[in-house]
Amino acid sequence: MSQQMLTTTLAPAPIENFVNGAHVATADWDSTGLLNTDKFIPVQSPYSGETISYCPISKKVDVDLAVAAAQEAFQSWGNKTMKDRAQIMIRFHQLVIKHRDELADLIVLEHGKTKTEALAEIDKGNETVEYAISLPQLTQGKIADVSRGITCQDAKRPLGVVASIVPFNFPFMVPMWTLPLVIGLGNTLVLKPSEKVPLTMNRVAALIREAGFPAGVVNIVHGAADTASLLTAHPDVKAVTFVGTSHVAELIHKKGRASNKRVLALGGAKNHLVAYPDCKLEMTAQDIVNSFTGCTGQRCMAASVLLTIGPQPQLIHEIVARAKLLGFSQEAGAGKMGPVIDAASVKRINAYVTESEWQGAEILLDGRSAAAPPGAEGGFWCGPSIVLHKKKSDKMLREEVFGPALSILEVATKEEAIAFENANPYGNAACIYTNDPWTADWFTKNFSAGMLGVNIGVPVPREPFSFGGINRSRFGDSDITGEGAINFFTWTKKVTTKWAVPVEANWMS
């Protein structure tokens, strides 16, 4: 479905929270006051800038209602068997497949992704649902004879109510990092989507109900920072997950830990790619372009800095040439870029490029003045930019840009490359491009990041491997998917049992 058709078929109407198995209005709902910024936030189409919906701002009474519904549902849901919960998860998985195209259209509409990117997001999110279906096999626990007549066994038990606060950049996939594992392990969930992209999970709520999850197992409250703060501080919430900027992640982590909650807060990133002189030219160039422009660079795994060891003019020329071929479109297919999320993002991304230019950097490809597609002049368009830096101190080399902008810096040795990467406070991802396994091994041992790639510029681990960075890219002691998530969303019950050792009968007794 085209962006124009999507915009015209969905009239700007407010959405509702999803609590106790039903869509419900917030307590101070007033459909005549949609311009009241204390009650509603306009949801804009990044393609056109038009208002496509209104996101309600949940207050304390709304958060309390959702947490109470989750707390009540936990009493029975937490005592179901893993197999019972997995059976419902199978139905949800099939419903996501059935409505894949519809969900992708909503992502295109409210986020701005291309249709190809949106479909890939649905599929990747559903992979975590598939992993959750396997929980009966993954969480069986252990039992062993530890002494004569004594056994020890353990079992995973759910925590209770979990709050999950998710960002705008993946309206479906990031909620699926937590939702299927949280509830598959027996917890109940209160999810807060980003106020910029509330429509996708609003539709998913109906699929959750259709799949047969009992009322209160999954609840969705909409809102902005104050709503997230209320969830983090709620006394009945046992664990909190967050994905967003490092500044907010640190605040959420401190606030949650102050009340003895489990908190896992994923922050920002500054991902470094290193091109060794022996790298495969065409493969490396295309992979780098895919990494920094895919999803318009609005992902925490996107390439941000390319370090070339020694001068590599051919590689740089090839990267620029391939990035120039990209065009603005949300239709399916390769070679297309959508808009960024909002006007503030366009301003911020362009400001980094401009400041680099003032500091003496060379602009190899300038996306600041890229023309919007016809009919979409009100949208938030930002073309790919490539900046060749002369000074390591340039701000764009050090801070998260979160857009389709690539910084390039030449270094003399592999040691200099590692020193530059290690000095950055983030630690989400890094990649080495080389044709030599010994070089690859050296870099993977010395990078300071949680997720590493060898000739892969977006090194996202796939289940059963878990997702998570280090340093200021993660506040908390666990990863958010895979085995790390299983441990984070459960506590382990240990039982030690002793029975009287039976007296053996013999001819003397």
Side-chain angles (χ1 to χ4, degrees):
M1 185 181 294
S2 71
Q3 174 70 41
Q4 185 177 6
M5 290 174 63
L6 281 167
T7 304
T8 55
T9 54
L10 290 176
I15 60 172
E16 297 177 316
N17 289 344
F18 182 76
V19 177
N20 209 24
H23 283 99
V24 296
T26 49
D28 61 357
W29 181 276
D30 181 2
S31 60
T32 64
L34 293 178
L35 297 181
N36 185 335
T37 55
D38 291 331
K39 297 182 180 181
F40 296 99
I41 302 169
V43 180
Q44 292 180 290
S45 160
Y47 179 89
S48 65
E50 297 173 359
T51 297
I52 53 176
S53 187
Y54 292 89
C55 177
I57 300 175
S58 298
K59 306 296 196 302
K60 185 178 185 300
V61 63
D62 306 300
V63 171
D64 287 346
L65 185 68
V67 173
Q71 181 72 8
E72 182 178 354
F74 174 68
Q75 307 310 314
S76 57
W77 181 250
N79 287 315
K80 287 186 179 293
T81 66
M82 287 279 190
K83 185 176 180 181
D84 286 343
R85 295 193 289 261
Q87 289 294 325
I88 306 176
M89 196 72 69
I90 290 170
R91 294 198 291 271
F92 175 64
H93 176 265
Q94 292 303 306
L95 284 169
V96 171
I97 293 174
K98 179 180 178 181
H99 296 275
R100 175 176 180 259
D101 201 64
E102 176 193 357
L103 293 172
D105 280 340
L106 285 172
I107 293 172
V108 170
L109 173 66
E110 66 177 349
H111 177 275
K113 280 186 171 72
T114 69
K115 185 62 178 287
T116 298
E117 291 169 340
L119 289 169
E121 176 180 344
I122 299 298
D123 294 342
K124 185 66 183 73
N126 220 14
E127 283 185 10
T128 313
V129 180
E130 293 166 8
Y131 182 72
I133 291 169
S134 301
L135 286 173
Q137 290 73 45
L138 296 171
T139 59
Q140 294 181 35
K142 304 182 296 292
I143 185 168
D145 294 320
V146 296
S147 186
R148 182 172 171 79
I150 298 177
T151 62
C152 281
Q153 66 183 95
D154 64 19
K156 298 289 187 185
R157 298 297 301 154
L159 303 175
V161 179
V162 175
S164 189
I165 303 160
V166 296
F168 76 84
N169 57 330
F170 287 94
F172 180 80
M173 186 187 76
V174 175
M176 290 304 116
W177 282 354
T178 54
L179 185 153
L181 294 174
V182 167
I183 64 177
L185 290 163
N187 304 285
T188 54
L189 179 69
V190 181
L191 177 82
K192 193 204 85 66
S194 167
E195 64 276 16
K196 297 178 182 180
V197 290
L199 302 178
T200 302
M201 286 308 298
N202 195 56
R203 179 67 183 97
V204 169
L207 303 184
I208 287 168
R209 180 171 54 201
E210 186 178 347
F213 287 106
V217 170
V218 176
N219 306 274
I220 298 175
V221 293
H222 296 286
D226 287 347
T227 307
S229 183
L230 288 167
L231 279 171
T232 305
H234 200 289
D236 291 332
V237 169
K238 302 301 182 185
V240 178
T241 70
F242 170 85
V243 180
T245 67
S246 291
H247 172 69
V248 179
E250 186 173 21
L251 293 175
I252 293 282
H253 183 257
K254 287 180 178 179
K255 186 167 188 173
R257 291 302 298 152
S259 56
N260 203 32
K261 291 176 171 57
R262 292 191 183 186
V263 183
L264 175 56
L266 301 190
K270 191 68 177 176
N271 303 322
H272 295 72
L273 313 180
V274 179
Y276 213 67
D278 69 342
C279 67
K280 296 289 187 181
L281 182 67
E282 291 190 2
M283 181 191 76
T284 300
Q286 189 58 57
D287 195 69
I288 290 170
V289 172
N290 293 344
S291 181
F292 92 88
T293 65
C295 300
T296 57
Q298 297 175 121
R299 51 185 177 182
C300 65
M301 296 296 286
S304 185
V305 175
L306 170 63
L307 303 174
T308 66
I309 298 181
Q312 297 188 39
Q314 285 183 295
L315 174 63
I316 294 173
H317 173 80
E318 192 67 25
I319 292 169
V320 173
R322 290 171 185 258
K324 279 182 178 178
L325 297 176
L326 296 171
F328 287 143
S329 174
Q330 290 186 301
E331 301 300 322
K336 299 177 175 65
M337 277 181 59
V340 295
I341 190 66
D342 54 24
S345 295
V346 176
K347 183 178 179 180
R348 186 191 68 251
I349 296 162
N350 289 344
Y352 275 106
V353 178
T354 299
E355 184 171 345
S356 297
E357 190 175 29
W358 290 344
Q359 292 169 337
E362 182 182 355
I363 311 301
L364 304 180
L365 182 61
D366 194 344
R368 289 173 291 181
S369 58
E377 290 80 6
F380 312 125
W381 301 94
C382 184
S385 289
I386 300 176
V387 180
L388 182 62
H389 296 267
K390 306 293 172 38
K391 297 181 295 185
K392 292 181 180 179
S393 59
D394 286 358
K395 189 176 178 181
M396 187 174 170
L397 278 168
R398 295 180 287 106
E399 297 183 1
E400 183 177 34
V401 178
F402 215 65
L406 179 70
S407 291
I408 301 177
L409 179 70
E410 180 185 323
V411 295
T413 65
K414 67 181 189 295
E415 289 80 11
E416 186 181 356
I418 281 294
F420 188 84
E421 187 270 344
N422 286 183
N424 193 271
Y426 297 104
N428 214 45
C431 170
I432 172 66
Y433 293 100
T434 180
N435 204 35
D436 175 40
W438 299 106
T439 299
D441 183 64
W442 187 89
F443 273 94
T444 57
K445 286 179 178 176
N446 287 282
F447 276 137
S448 180
M451 294 171 283
L452 307 179
V454 177
N455 300 319
I456 298 176
V458 185
V460 177
R462 308 291 283 267
E463 281 73 19
F465 300 97
S466 55
F467 185 101
I470 58 174
N471 303 331
R472 287 192 63 78
S473 290
R474 185 186 73 185
F475 297 85
D477 301 321
S478 176
D479 288 340
I480 202 166
T481 62
E483 186 177 355
I486 292 174
N487 293 328
F488 180 80
F489 294 125
T490 60
W491 61 278
T492 303
K493 178 183 286 187
K494 287 77 66 175
V495 180
T496 304
T497 304
K498 177 182 178 180
W499 300 108
V501 179
V503 178
E504 296 181 2
N506 58 60
W507 64 272
M508 296 179 65
S509 59

